[in-house]
Amino acid sequence: MSSEWYTASAPGKFVVLGEHSVVYGKPAVVLATDRRITCSVRRSKRNTINGDLVDLSRQPHFTYLTRDVGYNMDFLTTSEVPSGSGMGSSAALSAALALAIRSERGECPTEKMLVDEAYGAELYAQGNGSPMDASACVHGGGIAVNVPSEKKELWTISRGERTWRVTDVDVPDLSFVIGNTGIKAPTGPQVEKIRRYKMKNGFASEIIDEMGDVTLEGFDALKKKDKEKLGRLMTNDHKLLSILGVSCNELNKLVNASLPYSYGAKLTGSGGGGCMVALTDKPEKVAEVISSRGGIPYIIKSGSEGARMETSPAMGTPMEIPMGKGE
Ligand code: MEV
């Protein structure tokens, strides 16, 4: 039995505009970050994660991604992406794990195969959602979803009555700071909250439509490097997300503290806790005010490379493995 390690990594991401409304087929813009998750796998007599014996059926991402493997494995996972924070830890784990497992099996998967695997794992763990995070973490760089004017199509994924056309976008030369509230908030329950709200109340659908319009306008501003306009639309989007009930006091506090030094700011990811992002020319100043309000700032380099093979096994901070429903 070969016990060679196969190691892959994938970047985290942040959503510039369009989270939640993208679940309903509206547009979105996402950038990969310079924080990565690394996974190593090798054949083994038992299933272990980071040295601990595990029952893989209790680890949804691992259960899904090893569903046709047929032998046990050792897994090592390390992470620079805070978990449950809206920075794509679940999708980056799925992307890196899918690539490491497929490679161990002697396969050479395309990006589309990896997205199908990673999105499948996300749905299995989380229950509902779009292929946006999986696409961003597999492809890296920048992606747009359902922006009709964009021509560089990567893939189109349909589920039920929804279709997501994913395109590659040039990474804008803009500076973003992320602020982590430190409150872990899994994605699944936030997505479910909006689904229920939308079923009960036609007003929620109007807000979602408006978020789609704001995102399209914001995307145009991003392409034109119109920071004032993009920032204003990000702040508008935050207000719309707040109306849908997915912000919280801690996120609002960090958004409001960042605004005097930013073009705009909003929650990023599924909300309910997790992170906000500010578009700014003063990243150090914004990082300082985020810290002073109790948040953890990350000055992000956006547009990192997507899922890729690595030459040495995962070393560093072991990842906290998401157990189920969400990030
Ligand atoms: C979370 O990063 C993004 C959401 O839109 C969920 C999804 O698209 O699956 C909240």
Side-chain angles (χ1 to χ4, degrees):
M1 181 175 69
S2 151
S3 60
E4 194 187 333
W5 284 109
Y6 288 79
T7 301
S9 73
K13 60 88 204 133
F14 69 98
V15 185
V16 181
L17 285 166
E19 54 274 270
H20 284 295
S21 45
V22 71
V23 174
Y24 301 96
K26 302 291 175 197
V29 193
V30 190
L31 298 175
T33 70
D34 49 350
R35 292 177 161 259
R36 304 183 77 83
I37 285 181
T38 304
C39 296
S40 301
V41 306
R42 69 176 177 192
R43 285 184 194 218
S44 176
K45 292 200 177 70
R46 308 257 174 90
N47 284 318
T48 67
I49 300 181
N50 298 330
D52 295 331
L53 208 56
V54 287
D55 173 2
L56 276 200
S57 69
R58 297 169 65 86
Q59 313 283 352
H61 297 81
F62 292 75
T63 312
Y64 183 83
L65 294 169
T66 57
R67 67 199 179 285
D68 54 4
V69 169
Y71 43 85
N72 294 328
M73 284 181 148
D74 293 321
F75 301 91
L76 296 178
T77 59
T78 62
S79 175
E80 301 162 345
V81 185
S83 63
S85 69
M87 285 179 69
S89 61
S90 168
L93 171 70
S94 304
L97 204 49
L99 178 55
I101 292 170
R102 295 285 139 191
S103 303
E104 195 279 336
R105 305 195 72 200
E107 296 170 23
C108 204
T110 61
E111 280 196 354
K112 174 63 168 60
M113 288 171 186
L114 286 179
V115 168
D116 287 340
E117 281 291 284
Y119 182 39
E122 291 276 278
L123 287 176
Y124 187 77
Q126 178 177 300
N128 196 3
S130 77
M132 171 182 74
D133 289 8
S135 297
C137 295
V138 166
H139 182 65
I143 61 154
V145 182
N146 289 348
V147 176
S149 58
E150 283 304 286
K151 300 281 176 267
K152 287 187 266 170
E153 178 164 337
L154 295 168
W155 41 77
T156 291
I157 293 175
S158 297
R159 184 168 179 257
E161 60 196 32
R162 315 239 183 270
T163 295
W164 296 274
R165 178 176 166 269
V166 180
T167 47
D168 171 77
V169 296
D170 293 339
V171 178
D173 182 18
L174 298 172
S175 141
F176 294 96
V177 179
I178 288 179
N180 188 356
T181 61
I183 300 169
K184 287 187 198 278
T187 302
Q190 299 300 317
V191 170
E192 178 57 17
K193 189 172 180 176
I194 293 188
R195 191 189 68 78
R196 268 193 264 117
Y197 189 20
K198 193 172 175 295
M199 259 172 51
K200 273 201 261 159
N201 193 328
F203 178 61
S205 297
E206 285 174 31
I207 301 285
I208 288 169
D209 288 346
E210 199 175 332
M211 286 160 75
D213 296 343
V214 164
T215 301
L216 275 189
E217 236 191 296
F219 182 72
D220 190 52
L222 178 133
K223 294 279 272 191
K224 292 182 176 143
K225 298 212 182 90
D226 183 342
K227 295 187 246 185
E228 265 99 26
K229 189 167 177 194
L230 174 58
R232 187 160 29 84
L233 289 162
M234 286 170 67
T235 309
N236 276 358
D237 197 36
H238 181 73
K239 289 180 187 147
L240 296 170
L241 287 159
S242 302
I243 296 171
L244 288 181
V246 290
S247 191
C248 64
N249 289 341
E250 291 79 0
L251 278 168
N252 294 341
K253 196 164 77 177
L254 299 186
V255 165
N256 292 334
S258 302
L259 283 177
Y261 311 101
S262 305
Y263 295 102
K266 61 182 274 290
L267 70 84
T268 185
S270 56
C275 291
M276 49 69 67
V277 62
L279 170 64
T280 179
D281 285 338
K282 302 186 183 82
E284 269 80 25
K285 185 68 201 164
V286 171
E288 190 187 309
V289 294
I290 288 172
S291 285
S292 74
R293 299 299 197 289
I296 307 154
Y298 312 111
I299 297 177
I300 284 299
K301 236 176 105 211
S302 41
S304 299
E305 203 186 330
R308 66 178 185 219
M309 290 305 289
E310 302 286 349
T311 46
S312 44
M315 297 220 309
T317 316
M319 181 179 182
E320 207 179 301
I321 304 300
M323 291 297 289
K325 303 287 173 199
E327 233 189 315

